[in-house]
Amino acid sequence: EAGVTQSPTHLIKTRGQQVTLRCSPISGHTSVYWYQQALGLGLQFLLWYDEGEERNRGNFPPRFSGRQFPNYSSELNVNALELEDSALYLCASSLVTGVTVNTEAFFGQGTRLTVV
Amino acid sequence: GENVEQHPSTLSVQEGDSAVIKCTYSDSASNYFPWYKQELGKGPQLIIDIRSNVGEKKDQRIAVTLNKTAKHFSLHITETQPEDSAVYFCAARVNQGGKLIFGQGTELSVKP
């Protein structure tokens, strides 16, 4: 069974540009989470999508946005890129069952974004 | 607010020794505590988890303990091997919040 897949694996962008990162969850999972991992730092929560809706948002500016499609895949968009946006962007998926009860979250390999 | 503190930030052990990593969480509503292993250039891999209705869980050389009263949980790795070398992250989740709050990570180095 395929795990969480992310594309592209690496990306170089210029300051001020826009970028779109993509994530396909594990088959059967309805929730997708996005995290930012800057070099040498921990994982910072960005966004949580479930059943096509944004459920929760981390402490990031509005230029970080995303969406989830009917097939549960997701995109993360970052506008007006800044140098400090350089990081590994990780996507995870899980299944929400019952009343907001989440299963384990599994991560993809990430997209390494470099802003120059 | 929500916070997870993880210690130590680096840990070096000899092959065969045990390693212990400790985490403390702030939100008493947290009820799920996973541990992830991240190797260089890869995404975090779930290695073990524990839910708040359980005090201890073991999977071969890896065990996790949870003290809800003290809001502490720990990862124990016995008989360490060089391939255990990686960065380990603890996390905590409140079900309705969905998101995982991560500790700062522990870089474990197992010397042959």
Side-chain angles (χ1 to χ4, degrees), chain A residues 26-43:
Chain A
I26 291 172
S27 177
H29 284 188
T30 60
S31 274
V32 169
Y33 311 82
W34 287 96
Y35 287 82
Q36 182 195 65
Q37 187 177 29
L39 191 62
L41 298 180
L43 287 80

Side-chain angles (χ1 to χ4, degrees), chain A residues 33 35 37 41-43 45 48 56 88 90 100-109, chain B residues 32 36 38 41-44 46 49 51 89 93 95-100 102-104:
Chain A
Y33 311 82
Y35 287 82
Q37 187 177 29
L41 298 180
L43 287 80
F45 170 73
W48 172 30
N56 205 342
L88 180 67
L90 291 160
T100 64
V101 176
N102 286 331
T103 63
E104 301 87 342
F106 297 95
F107 281 85
Q109 296 288 69
Chain B
Y32 174 67
Y36 288 87
Q38 187 175 28
K42 296 185 178 181
L46 178 67
D49 58 10
R51 298 186 186 272
F89 290 96
R93 184 176 71 197
N95 255 348
Q96 293 186 344
K99 63 184 177 183
L100 289 167
F102 283 85
Q104 299 88 338

Side-chain angles (χ1 to χ4, degrees), chain A residues 83-105:
Chain A
L83 297 179
E84 52 264 35
D85 295 334
S86 295
L88 180 67
Y89 288 85
L90 291 160
C91 170
S93 75
S94 73
L95 175 63
V96 176
T97 61
V99 182
T100 64
V101 176
N102 286 331
T103 63
E104 301 87 342

Side-chain angles (χ1 to χ4, degrees), chain B residues 66-85:
Chain B
L66 172 65
N67 182 331
K68 285 179 58 180
T69 303
K71 293 192 278 189
H72 290 169
F73 58 114
S74 300
L75 177 71
H76 304 254
I77 305 174
T78 59
E79 301 172 24
T80 54
Q81 302 167 2
E83 50 266 39
D84 293 330
S85 296

Side-chain angles (χ1 to χ4, degrees), chain B residues 39-60:
Chain B
E39 296 174 323
L40 198 61
K42 296 185 178 181
Q45 176 191 5
L46 178 67
I47 56 172
I48 195 167
D49 58 10
I50 191 167
R51 298 186 186 272
S52 58
N53 58 346
V54 176
E56 184 174 358
K57 184 177 179 181
K58 189 174 182 180
D59 182 5
Q60 299 182 354

